C-alpha cells in the first residue's frame, strides 16, 4: 500500500502524473520505494530504491533504506511487488494502434460473414466518419479461406469509403468509394480489381484514409495508444513513421503530445530515403532521430510481399523488392556521413541480402568504423541465414525484432509454414543465433500488428516455437528494456542503477526465478545463490505480471493501488 502522505496516490483520478520529479521551486523530489524486489545489476538482492528528480539515486537493502526514510518526499511501500526498468517497445505505429484499440478491429473475426457483420455495425455506429478505418483481418485463421469481396464491403458500408488493413498492415481491402478518392490508383503497382491492394496502390489508399482523420481524432488515438502502453509497463516507444505510413503531421503531433502530457517517451523515426545532407537535415527537422524504421526493402509474408530467394510455397512468385543493394548503400553512406541513423524494414532472405550487401558497400565507401558507430538498424529481420547473421555482427546492425510474430504465426502448422513450407519456416526469427554472434537485439510489437505486451514478447522469445531459436528470459528481458535504449545510442538507460533515468515499472507477480526454458540455452546458473536477479516465471499458460505503476523520468504515467 502507499504511504498516506503520498501526494501522488495512484488510486485517485488526479494522482498519476500530478507530482513531477521537481517541485515548484525546481528542487528535485525524492521518492523511496521499499519492501519489494528491485531488479538491478547493481545489487541482485535489492529490495529498495531511491529516486531523486528524474534519476535513480540508490538501490539496496531494506535495512539500508531506513537511513533515507525521514528525508524523502514520498515513500512507496511495495508490499512485495517487483520493480523493473520500464520496457521500451522498439517498433510501434501509435496512431494506428490507438485506432485499433478504439475502432474496428477484426482480429477476432471468424470468417468473411462475421467480418462483414462487424463492418456493418461499425458503419452504423459512426455515421459522422468521413472514412471508415479498420484493421486486423487474417484469412489464414478462417474456416472459409476468403476475404470479403469489394461488392460485399460496398454493401456493408452503405457505399461509404472504407480502409481495412490486413493484420500485417502490408495489404488492405477497400471499398469503391475509397478508390474514388484516390485518382489514378488503378494504374499503380499492387492494384487488383477484387483482391487486397499491395505496394504503391496500398500506400496511396492508406494515405487517403489516414488524411481523413481530424486533429481531434488523431490526438485521441495517439493518447489512447500511449496510455495503454503505459498501462502495460512500457515507458518508451519507437514510432516508425514515414510518408508511406502516417505522414509528417501525424509524427509532429505525436511528438508534441508526448512532450506535453504525462505519457511514455516517443522516439521518432522517419522512413524516407536520404540522398543528400539536405535530406538528412529535413529528417532532423521533423524531430526524427533517424531515416529508418519502415523504410521498405520488401513487404510481409502474410501478404506474399516479403522478398524471397525462392518462390513461396503457396504462390508462384518471390514477393516484392522495393530497394536494391545500390539504393541501400547510397542511403546508408549519406546517413553515416550526416551522423544520422539509417535503417530498413527487411523480412525475406532476398531483402536481407540487399540490405546487408548495401550496408557493406556503404562501409567500403565511408569506412567500417563509421558505419558501426552509427548503429544502423533493421526492422523484423526474419528470414536470416548464417551469412546474414555474420554480416549483422560485422556491421554492428541492431536487429529490431518482434517475438509476437512467432507466437502468432510460427510452428509447423502456422501461417509461416503455409507461406514458406516447414523447413524454411523453421529458420525464421533466429534470436539465439543473433545473440551468439553478438548482434544487438531490441524487442517490440509492431503494434497494431501484434498487441502491446512486453512480458508476452519476452515469453515468446524464451519459448520460441522453434526450440533452437530460444533465448533465456533474462536475455529477452534485457533486449526489451536496455536493448531499445541502446538502439537509439543510449547506453546509460533501461537499467536500474544510480545515475540512470528513473524510468521504471512496478509489478504484481508470482515467484521470481532464473529461467532458461530449454536445455540448449546457455545458462550459468538457476540457483538463487548465483546472485542473478530473478524474473517472473513466464512458462506458457501462466499468468503474466500485472502493471501497478509506470514511471517515466520520475513522473507517474500510469498507476493503480499497490496492495
Amino acid at each position: 500500500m502507499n504511504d498516506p502522505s503520498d501526494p501522488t496516490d495512484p488510486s485517485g483520478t488526479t494522482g498519476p502524473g500530478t507530482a513531477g520529479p521537481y517541485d515548484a521551486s525546481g528542487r528535485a523530489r525524492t521518492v523511496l520505494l521499499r519492501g519489494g524486489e528491485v531488479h538491478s545489476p547493481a545489487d541482485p538482492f535489492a529490495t529498495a530504491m531511491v529516486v531523486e528528480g528524474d534519476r535513480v539515486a540508490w538501490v539496496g537493502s531494506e535495512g539500508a533504506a531506513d537511513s533515507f526514510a525521514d528525508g524523502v518526499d514520498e515513500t512507496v511501500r511495495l508490499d512485495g511487488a517487483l520493480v523493473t526498468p520500464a520496457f521500451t517497445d522498439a517498433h510501434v505505429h501509435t496512431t494506428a494502434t490507438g485506432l485499433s484499440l478504439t475502432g474496428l478491429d477484426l482480429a477476432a473475426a471468424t470468417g468473411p460473414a462475421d467480418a462483414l457483420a462487424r463492418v456493418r455495425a461499425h458503419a452504423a455506429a459512426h455515421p459522422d466518419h468521413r472514412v471508415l478505418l479498420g484493421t486486423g483481418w487474417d484469412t489464414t485463421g478462417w474456416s472459409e479461406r476468403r476475404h470479403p469481396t469489394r461488392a460485399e464491403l460496398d454493401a456493408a458500408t452503405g457505399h461509404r469509403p472504407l480502409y481495412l488493413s490486413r493484420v500485417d498492415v502490408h495489404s488492405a481491402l477497400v471499398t469503391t468509394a475509397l478508390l474514388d478518392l484516390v485518382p489514378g490508383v488503378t494504374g499503380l503497382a499492387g492494384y487488383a480489381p477484387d483482391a487486397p491492394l499491395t505496394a504503391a496502390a496500398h500506400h496511396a489508399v492508406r494515405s487517403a484514409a489516414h488524411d481523413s482523420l481530424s486533429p481531434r481524432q488523431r490526438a485521441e488515438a495517439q493518447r489512447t495508444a500511449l496510455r495503454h502502453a503505459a498501462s502495460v509497463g512500457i515507458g518508451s516507444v519507437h514510432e516508425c513513421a514515414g510518408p508511406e505510413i502516417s505522414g509528417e503531421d501525424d509524427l509532429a503531433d505525436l511528438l508534441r503530445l508526448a512532450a506535453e502530457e504525462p505519457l511514455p517517451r516517443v522516439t521518432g523515426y522517419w522512413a524516407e530515403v536520404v540522398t543528400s545532407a539536405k535530406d538528412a537535415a529535413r529528417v532532423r527537422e521533423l524531430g526524427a532521430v533517424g531515416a529508418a524504421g519502415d523504410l521498405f526493402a520488401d513487404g510481409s509474408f502474410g501478404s506474399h510481399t516479403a522478398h524471397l530467394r525462392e518462390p513461396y510455397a503457396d504462390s508462384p512468385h518471390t514477393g516484392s523488392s522495393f530497394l536494391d543493394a545500390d539504393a541501400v548503400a547510397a542511403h546508408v553512406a549519406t546517413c553515416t556521413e550526416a551522423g544520422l541513423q539509417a535503417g530498413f524494414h527487411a523480412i525475406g532472405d532476398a531483402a536481407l541480402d540487399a540490405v546487408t550487401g548495401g550496408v557493406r558497400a556503404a562501409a567500403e565507401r565511408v569506412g567500417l568504423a563509421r558505419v558501426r558507430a552509427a548503429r544502423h538498424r533493421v526492422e523484423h529481420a526474419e528470414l536470416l541465414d548464417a551469412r546474414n547473421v555474420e554480416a549483422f555482427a560485422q556491421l554492428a546492425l541492431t536487429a529490431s525484432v518482434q517475438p509476437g510474430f512467432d507466437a502468432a504465426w510460427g510452428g509447423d502448422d502456422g501461417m509461416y509454414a503455409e507461406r514458406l513450407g516447414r523447413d524454411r519456416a523453421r529458420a525464421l526469427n533466429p534470436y539465439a543465433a543473433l545473440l551468439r554472434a553478438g548482434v544487438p537485439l531490441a524487442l517490440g510489437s509492431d503494434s497494431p500488428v501484434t498487441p502491446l505486451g512486453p512480458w508476452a514478447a519476452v515469453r515468446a522469445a524464451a519459448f520460441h516455437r522453434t526450440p533452437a531459436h530460444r533465448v533465456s528470459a533474462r536475455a529477452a528481458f534485457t533486449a526489451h528494456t536496455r536493448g531499445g535504449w541502446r538502439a537509439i545510442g543510449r547506453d546509460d538507460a533501461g537499467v536500474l542503477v544510480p545515475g540512470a533515468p528513473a524510468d521504471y515499472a512496478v509489478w504484481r507477480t508470482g515467484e521470481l526465478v532464473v529461467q532458461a526454458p530449454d536445455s540448449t540455452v546457455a545458462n550459468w546458473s538457476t540457483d538463487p545463490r548465483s546472485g542473478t536477479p530473478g524474473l517472473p516465471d513466464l512458462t506458457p499458460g501462466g499468468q503474466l505480471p500485472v502493471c501497478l505503476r509506470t514511471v517515466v523520468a520520475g513522473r507517474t504515467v500510469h498507476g493503480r493501488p499497490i496492495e
Side-chain angles (χ1 to χ4, degrees):
M1 61 189 297
N2 292 295
D3 188 289
S5 65
D6 179 1
T8 58
D9 177 8
S11 64
T13 57
T14 61
T18 56
Y22 300 93
D23 64 20
S25 68
R27 182 185 64 86
R29 296 182 70 253
T30 54
V31 180
L32 169 63
L33 298 93
R34 64 184 306 179
E37 302 282 347
V38 179
H39 187 92
S40 172
D43 183 346
F45 305 109
T47 61
M49 180 172 75
V50 173
V51 171
E52 184 174 358
D54 60 359
R55 295 277 164 174
V56 175
W58 172 87
V59 295
S61 68
E62 184 65 18
D66 289 338
S67 63
F68 295 97
D70 293 336
V72 298
D73 297 296
E74 175 187 352
T75 296
V76 177
R77 301 191 183 279
L78 296 168
D79 286 347
L82 171 67
V83 182
T84 71
F87 285 96
T88 292
D89 192 310
H91 192 119
V92 168
H93 303 285
T94 307
T95 302
T97 296
L99 292 171
S100 72
L101 290 169
T102 59
L104 177 58
D105 185 355
L106 296 182
T110 58
D114 185 23
L116 286 165
R118 293 168 185 257
V119 168
R120 194 174 297 111
H122 183 75
H126 297 89
D128 56 329
H129 285 197
R130 179 168 172 260
V131 175
L132 300 167
L133 300 169
T135 189
W137 62 271
D138 182 2
T139 60
T140 61
W142 293 354
S143 56
E144 187 179 354
R145 300 290 288 275
R146 73 169 184 89
H147 57 78
T149 67
R150 189 164 296 154
E152 288 173 328
L153 291 171
D154 286 345
T157 59
H159 300 277
R160 293 166 62 189
L162 167 72
Y163 169 80
L164 201 58
S165 64
R166 190 183 181 279
V167 63
D168 58 10
V169 201
H170 281 271
S171 59
L173 299 171
V174 299
T175 55
T176 303
L178 181 58
L179 292 176
D180 290 343
L181 298 178
V182 189
V185 65
T186 59
L188 296 177
Y191 174 80
D194 197 23
L197 304 188
T198 63
H202 174 226
H203 298 156
V205 296
R206 177 166 58 184
S207 293
H210 285 182
D211 286 347
S212 72
L213 291 173
S214 68
R216 180 185 59 80
Q217 286 176 301
R218 181 186 296 124
E220 288 178 354
Q222 293 172 345
R223 189 177 290 110
T224 296
L226 291 177
R227 286 178 175 170
H228 178 62
S231 77
V232 294
I234 295 170
S236 178
V237 301
H238 295 180
E239 167 67 14
C240 292
E244 296 178 341
I245 301 165
S246 53
E248 295 181 13
D249 289 344
D250 186 89
L251 177 61
D253 290 347
L254 175 63
L255 294 175
R256 186 181 308 110
L257 179 72
E260 293 176 351
E261 298 188 14
L263 295 165
R265 301 175 192 260
V266 176
T267 298
Y269 284 94
W270 184 251
E272 191 165 17
V273 170
V274 168
T275 59
S276 67
K278 182 178 180 181
D279 291 342
R282 180 175 168 276
V283 170
R284 287 196 176 94
E285 289 169 2
L286 292 173
V289 301
D294 276 335
L295 182 52
F296 297 117
D298 68 344
S300 73
F301 292 124
S303 293
H304 290 101
T305 51
H307 190 206
L308 305 177
R309 296 172 187 162
E310 302 295 333
Y312 283 86
D314 62 349
S315 192
H317 64 86
T318 58
S320 304
S321 173
F322 303 129
L323 292 172
D324 60 18
D326 289 341
V328 170
H331 178 73
V332 172
T334 305
C335 287
T336 302
E337 290 179 327
L340 189 68
Q341 193 177 26
F344 306 91
H345 161 121
I347 285 180
D349 47 8
L352 288 158
D353 288 344
V355 167
T356 54
V359 178
R360 184 174 284 112
E364 293 172 355
R365 189 181 309 173
V366 302
L368 177 60
R370 294 179 70 188
V371 165
R372 287 177 59 86
R375 303 192 190 190
H376 303 309
R377 54 190 282 173
V378 181
E379 309 302 312
H380 317 309
E382 292 201 76
L383 190 50
L384 288 161
D385 61 11
R387 182 180 62 185
N388 280 329
V389 169
E390 180 183 359
F392 269 55
Q394 179 191 17
L395 300 165
L397 296 173
T398 293
S400 171
V401 298
Q402 296 74 40
F405 288 7
D406 177 72
W409 303 308
D412 286 350
D413 298 317
M415 182 270 287
Y416 286 154
E418 181 176 317
R419 293 289 188 266
L420 303 177
R422 290 184 177 180
D423 288 343
R424 274 194 295 179
R426 288 171 182 156
L428 288 170
N429 302 302
Y431 303 144
L434 287 163
L435 285 180
R436 282 195 299 269
V439 176
L441 294 186
L443 268 55
S445 63
D446 198 9
S447 181
V449 176
T450 61
L452 297 169
W455 286 116
V458 173
R459 171 188 279 173
F463 293 90
H464 197 295
R465 290 177 181 268
T466 303
H469 300 331
R470 293 174 177 173
V471 299
S472 69
R474 179 172 180 264
F477 174 81
T478 300
H480 217 338
T481 50
R482 200 167 192 177
W485 284 96
R486 285 173 167 168
I488 61 171
R490 289 281 302 275
D491 294 332
D492 64 333
V495 61
L496 299 181
V497 297
D503 288 30
Y504 61 91
V506 181
W507 307 91
R508 176 64 61 215
T509 185
E511 182 183 2
L512 303 184
V513 298
V514 179
Q515 191 165 36
D518 191 274
S519 61
T520 62
V521 175
N523 182 39
W524 52 95
S525 175
T526 58
D527 190 324
R529 291 172 297 179
S530 68
T532 301
L535 289 169
D537 185 347
L538 300 177
T539 302
Q543 182 176 350
L544 292 172
V546 175
C547 184
L548 303 177
R549 179 179 288 195
T550 304
V551 175
V552 174
R555 177 185 292 275
T556 300
V557 298
H558 165 75
R560 65 175 73 184
I562 299 175
E563 57 184 20

